[in-house]
Amino acid sequence: MNWLDEVKWDADGLVPAIAQQVGSNDVLMFAYMNRDALARTAETGEAVYYSRSRGRLWHKGEESGHVQKVHELRLDCDGDVILMKVEQLGAGAGLEAIACHTGRHSCFFKRWNDGRWDVVEPVLKDPAGIYK
Amino acid sequence: MNWLDEVKWDADGLVPAIAQQVGSNDVLMFAYMNRDALARTAETGEAVYYSRSRGRLWHKGEESGHVQKVHELRLDCDGDVILMKVEQLGAGAGLEAIACHTGRHSCFFKRWNDGRWDVVEPVLKDPAGIYK
């Protein structure tokens, strides 16, 4: 059986994918993959997602240079979620590497605090300097 | 503005939620929340999801005792994904705590290896002894 057939694709042919920083295990971002995106991710060793808004494959870093080098690819018990351990490349390194389009390390920079979402992570690089 | 209104619920009124072990940062599981589930999670400090298969709220651990104590609740840049840092309670502790219904620490126990999904995490407790 082809490993791609073991993935339970949803009605739109997509699967949620979580990217986690190798080493710190910080969760960097969450996006979707279709069959082609997952196949290319495994083939090239770089994270390729499917952009629902743009309706096409999205090689992470294609504009920003913030490519994700895949160290490990996992599938969950139900076969319907992908988890990747990645090395976030581009500006910065490790905890200073930028995965988020806002110029932050992680997309998960809002923390719940007593009924408010507080921004708790710094902008490491101005997005105007990332997307030209 | 109510913090629950800042979440971008999908067409089914759901938001994906990732649970990460506090300390190790291991990703334990992935599920969905509706508005009520997220409100209860914040209120009670224990992870409450929405079970799509059962069509109702699902207080994680209600059957297994494997409750998740929430240490931190985060929202991503687009406001459409929740990340939680949790302490996985029940049998075992820390890296031996069980989040997965298969009796494993994490639901992400299949690792891609040259075109195969290999099972790489041990069963810590027989599910027959968890769900009676």
Side-chain angles (χ1 to χ4, degrees), chain A residues 1-10 12-17 32-43 48-51 56-57 73 82, chain B residues 112 117:
Chain A
M1 189 180 187
N2 188 297
W3 64 278
L4 288 163
D5 294 328
E6 290 181 55
V7 177
K8 283 190 201 125
W9 308 96
D10 72 11
D12 298 319
L14 301 177
V15 70
Y32 291 88
M33 291 180 174
N34 64 4
R35 191 180 171 99
D36 197 15
L38 181 56
R40 291 200 192 198
T41 296
E43 221 172 86
V48 178
Y49 301 97
Y50 179 80
S51 168
R56 64 164 176 85
L57 287 189
L73 204 54
I82 296 286
Chain B
W112 192 87
W117 296 110

Side-chain angles (χ1 to χ4, degrees), chain A residues 115-126:
Chain A
R116 283 194 324 271
W117 295 110
D118 291 342
V119 171
V120 294
E121 305 281 348
V123 172
L124 300 170
K125 187 173 174 181
D126 183 345

Side-chain angles (χ1 to χ4, degrees), chain A residues 94-109:
Chain A
L95 297 175
E96 300 287 298
I98 298 168
C100 184
H101 75 287
T102 64
R104 293 179 176 85
H105 178 51
S106 161
C107 292
F108 295 90
F109 58 79

Side-chain angles (χ1 to χ4, degrees), chain B residues 4-106:
Chain B
L4 288 163
D5 293 328
E6 290 181 55
V7 177
K8 282 189 202 125
W9 308 96
D10 72 11
D12 298 318
L14 302 177
V15 70
I18 303 161
Q20 189 177 24
Q21 171 80 21
V22 71
S24 70
N25 277 349
D26 284 344
V27 174
L28 299 175
M29 57 174 281
F30 170 94
Y32 291 88
M33 292 181 174
N34 64 4
R35 190 181 172 97
D36 197 15
L38 181 56
R40 292 200 192 197
T41 297
E43 222 172 85
T44 63
E46 291 184 353
V48 178
Y49 300 97
Y50 179 80
S51 166
R52 296 182 302 170
S53 57
R54 288 173 277 184
R56 64 164 177 86
L57 288 188
W58 160 40
H59 177 199
K60 169 74 181 166
E62 62 191 16
E63 282 181 70
S64 62
H66 298 172
V67 165
Q68 294 177 334
K69 193 175 164 196
V70 178
H71 284 237
E72 205 177 274
L73 203 54
R74 294 205 177 202
L75 183 65
D76 80 334
C77 50
D78 296 326
D80 58 5
V81 187
I82 295 287
L83 176 68
M84 289 184 294
K85 292 211 179 175
V86 304
E87 189 185 338
Q88 179 63 59
L89 305 180
L95 296 174
E96 299 288 299
I98 297 167
C100 184
H101 76 288
T102 64
R104 293 180 176 87
H105 177 52
S106 160

